[in-house]
């Protein structure tokens, strides 16, 4: 048997620094097929490392099923590249954030990754809307009316005026992920109240981020979506801020971290 020749590496010369690039963590529902492509669209993967982990989610989407995600968050965050530091951890579920509370989500994730900024669709969207100068908003969502109302209440509690709520009354988030982008575009005009400063399209499963430039051109007002706002926020936290062709008006602005 041939004996292997052992080469000892000099860690200083041979190994890249542990934190060579910023890291963004994604905590996703097991049924989520949209967030990772959205983040791939908006982040330069050469300059940031994006790692994802999933938690069990069972449909239908109700307050009870959303509440069951809470106890799973700490372990999911802990299993994101154990021992690595993260610039941000994004919990990708708008409706669950509304039920659990953004502070509750942040507290759970901070137990595992205390150095990271916790980003949720609601905190990111709030920061995005305020950055765009929006205080009155209309909300378009795929959920049932009770779940949609819960998301709206979260924004109301942060000081936004909700002029109009529109929803498709879907219960299965896998169906939410199958809503065609053109369906979203067709619904947006009717969902936007004339008094609103902006339209917020809720749900991380919806393929809505890609519709933002077309919608802003058609509506003449800012449009923010769950993953769109979160990707902008995470880009900023990872030092990648700046314009993006698919980012719409939001990506012309820089994040004020005090808004999170």
């Amino acid at each position: 048997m041939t004996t292997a020749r052992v080469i000892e590496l000099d860690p200083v010369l041979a190994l890249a620094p542990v934190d060579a690039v910023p890291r963004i963590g994604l905590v996703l529902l097991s049924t989520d097929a949209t967030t990772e492509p959205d983040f791939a669209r908006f982040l330069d993967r050469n300059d940031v490392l994006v790692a994802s982990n999933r938690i069990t989610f069972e449909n239908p989407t109700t307050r009870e099923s959303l509440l069951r995600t809470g106890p799973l968050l700490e372990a999911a965050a802990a299993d994101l590249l154990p021992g690595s530091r993260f610039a941000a951890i994004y919990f990708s579920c708008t409706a669950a954030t509304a039920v659990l509370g953004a502070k509750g989500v942040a507290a759970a994730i901070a137990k595992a990754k205390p150095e990271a900024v916790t980003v949720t669709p609601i905190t990111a969207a709030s920061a995005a809307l305020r950055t765009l100068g929006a205080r009155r908003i209309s909300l378009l969502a795929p959920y049932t009316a009770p779940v949609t109302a819960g998301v709206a209440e979260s924004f109301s509690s942060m000081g936004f005026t909700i002029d109009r709520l529109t929803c498709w009354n879907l219960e299965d988030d896998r169906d939410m992920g199958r809503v065609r982008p053109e369906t979203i575009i067709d619904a947006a005009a009717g969902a936007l109240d004339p008094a609103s400063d902006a339209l917020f399209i809720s749900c991380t499963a919806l393929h809505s981020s890609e519709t933002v430039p077309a919608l802003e051109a058609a509506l003449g007002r800012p449009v923010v979506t769950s993953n769109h706002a979160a990707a902008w926020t995470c880009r900023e936290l990872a030092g990648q801020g700046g314009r993006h062709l698919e980012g719409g008006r939001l990506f012309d602005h820089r994040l004020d971290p005090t808004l999170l």
Side-chain angles (χ1 to χ4, degrees):
M1 180 177 178
T2 303
T3 301
R5 183 169 65 96
V6 177
I7 302 175
E8 294 190 4
L9 296 177
D10 181 342
V12 175
L13 299 176
L15 303 181
V18 172
D19 298 319
V21 296
R23 293 178 174 87
I24 300 297
L26 309 179
V27 176
L28 312 174
L29 302 188
S30 55
T31 48
D32 185 335
T34 306
T35 299
E36 287 161 316
D38 277 348
F39 268 63
R41 177 182 300 110
F42 289 117
L43 272 74
D44 184 349
R45 301 298 279 268
N46 293 319
D47 296 324
V48 64
L49 189 153
V50 179
S52 60
N53 198 10
R54 294 175 181 272
I55 60 176
T56 299
F57 182 74
E58 296 181 2
N59 280 289
T61 302
T62 64
R63 177 177 175 80
E64 291 70 31
S65 65
L66 295 166
L67 278 172
R68 287 195 288 270
T69 65
L72 307 177
L73 295 176
E74 181 183 350
D79 282 340
L80 286 165
L81 300 179
S84 297
R85 295 179 60 83
F86 281 77
I89 305 290
Y90 173 45
F91 174 46
S92 184
C93 185
T94 320
T97 300
V99 169
L100 299 169
K103 290 183 179 179
V105 172
I109 290 176
K111 291 178 181 178
K113 303 289 187 186
E115 81 288 349
V117 177
T118 296
V119 177
T120 72
I122 289 177
T123 54
S126 173
L129 290 163
R130 293 185 189 281
T131 297
L132 291 164
R135 293 299 182 271
R136 303 180 67 97
I137 64 172
S138 294
L139 193 153
L140 173 62
Y143 330 112
T144 61
V147 173
T148 302
V151 172
E153 177 56 33
S154 292
F155 284 91
S156 294
S157 69
M158 293 186 291
F160 292 94
T161 297
I162 312 298
D163 294 313
R164 184 176 297 177
L165 293 180
T166 306
C167 65
W168 280 296
N169 206 41
L170 297 175
E171 292 187 328
D172 191 317
D173 72 325
R174 293 166 298 184
D175 291 338
M176 299 174 198
R178 295 173 58 210
V179 175
R180 298 178 185 274
E182 53 265 33
T183 301
I184 299 170
I185 292 172
D186 289 344
L192 179 63
D193 189 279
S196 292
D197 302 317
L199 174 66
F200 173 59
I201 304 177
S202 184
C203 185
T204 60
L206 276 182
H207 289 279
S208 54
S209 294
E210 61 205 74
T211 69
V212 169
L215 284 177
E216 290 187 332
L219 300 174
R221 268 168 282 182
V223 175
V224 171
T225 86
S226 294
N227 283 342
H228 165 251
W232 170 74
T233 301
C234 289
R235 273 171 59 101
E236 291 284 328
L237 293 172
Q240 285 195 350
R243 284 188 55 81
H244 189 284
L245 291 177
E246 296 182 65
R249 299 185 189 188
L250 178 59
F251 282 70
D252 290 335
H253 299 272
R254 305 306 304 268
L255 170 69
D256 177 354
T258 64
L259 294 176
L260 292 175

